[in-house]
Amino acid sequence: MEKKSTNIILFSGDYDKAMAAFIIANGAAAYDHDVTIFFTFWGLNSLKKETVNTPVSKSFIEKMFGWMMPKGADKLPLSNMNMMGMGPQMIKSVMKKHNAIPLPQLIEMAQEQGVKLVACTMTMDLLGIKKKELLDGVELGGVAAYLGEAADGNVNLFI
């Protein structure tokens, strides 16, 4: 029997949408699917490290993008009810009360289960994101890499 595959494009940089993508990815991996998440545009922010230990050379525009975008999964805004940054703290409090797994741990769990995390190289170039700014274990790839995975996919999602 052929192994099923699940492919997700994460375009959004919203905490709740990234949570949904990783909950689905972890569930599919638990059901023994090959899972790939392709991160493009604002979705790349969920793969960023909170701090980068070595300096990264960037142009002025790339520095501005870096300054404006969140640094890591735990810093993402909510899609609704962001309330000037208070919304994410409120939802994290509710999640903790209900023992829900926070996004950074969902990402770790996905990596432990073998979920392939692929950062879009074109978007990285456009936004000035360098590989050393991303979490360890993230692969780099273009649209052809995603299409190669998705062509044989049983489940393909765009979030």
Side-chain angles (χ1 to χ4, degrees):
M1 184 167 159
E2 186 177 314
K3 194 169 187 180
K4 296 191 180 225
S5 69
T6 296
N7 303 288
I8 301 169
I9 295 176
L10 184 57
F11 175 83
S12 175
D14 297 323
Y15 190 89
D16 46 324
K17 292 176 184 175
M19 285 272 307
F22 277 96
I23 289 169
I24 293 166
N26 280 303
Y31 276 99
D32 202 32
H33 285 213
D34 286 327
V35 182
T36 299
I37 306 177
F38 185 77
F39 297 82
T40 189
F41 285 92
W42 318 121
L44 280 170
N45 290 322
S46 59
L47 292 180
K48 289 171 71 178
K49 295 176 183 173
E50 287 188 33
T51 57
V52 178
N53 296 331
T54 56
V56 179
S57 176
K58 293 187 173 201
S59 70
F60 176 75
I61 296 291
E62 291 171 339
K63 288 178 186 175
M64 293 307 296
F65 273 127
W67 179 75
M68 291 185 289
M69 293 188 299
K71 301 212 179 6
D74 211 33
K75 305 285 189 230
L76 299 177
L78 286 179
S79 61
N80 291 304
M81 300 184 296
N82 194 48
M83 300 183 290
M84 297 187 299
M86 292 178 7
Q89 294 311 315
M90 291 169 55
I91 195 71
K92 289 173 191 174
S93 173
V94 170
M95 288 170 57
K96 186 174 185 176
K97 181 179 175 182
H98 292 280
N99 296 316
I101 301 170
L103 181 56
Q105 282 71 42
L106 285 172
I107 294 170
E108 287 175 22
M109 185 185 300
Q111 288 181 304
E112 289 169 5
Q113 291 194 85
V115 172
K116 190 187 310 184
L117 308 178
V118 181
C120 177
T121 52
M122 184 201 71
T123 303
M124 288 175 66
D125 289 344
L126 290 174
L127 300 179
I129 298 171
K130 310 298 183 198
K131 180 164 177 56
K132 64 172 94 173
E133 294 178 273
L134 301 178
L135 300 172
D136 295 336
V138 172
E139 298 179 26
L140 304 182
V143 172
Y146 169 74
L147 291 174
E149 299 275 342
D152 297 324
N154 301 96
V155 178
N156 290 290
L157 303 172
F158 184 92
I159 299 175

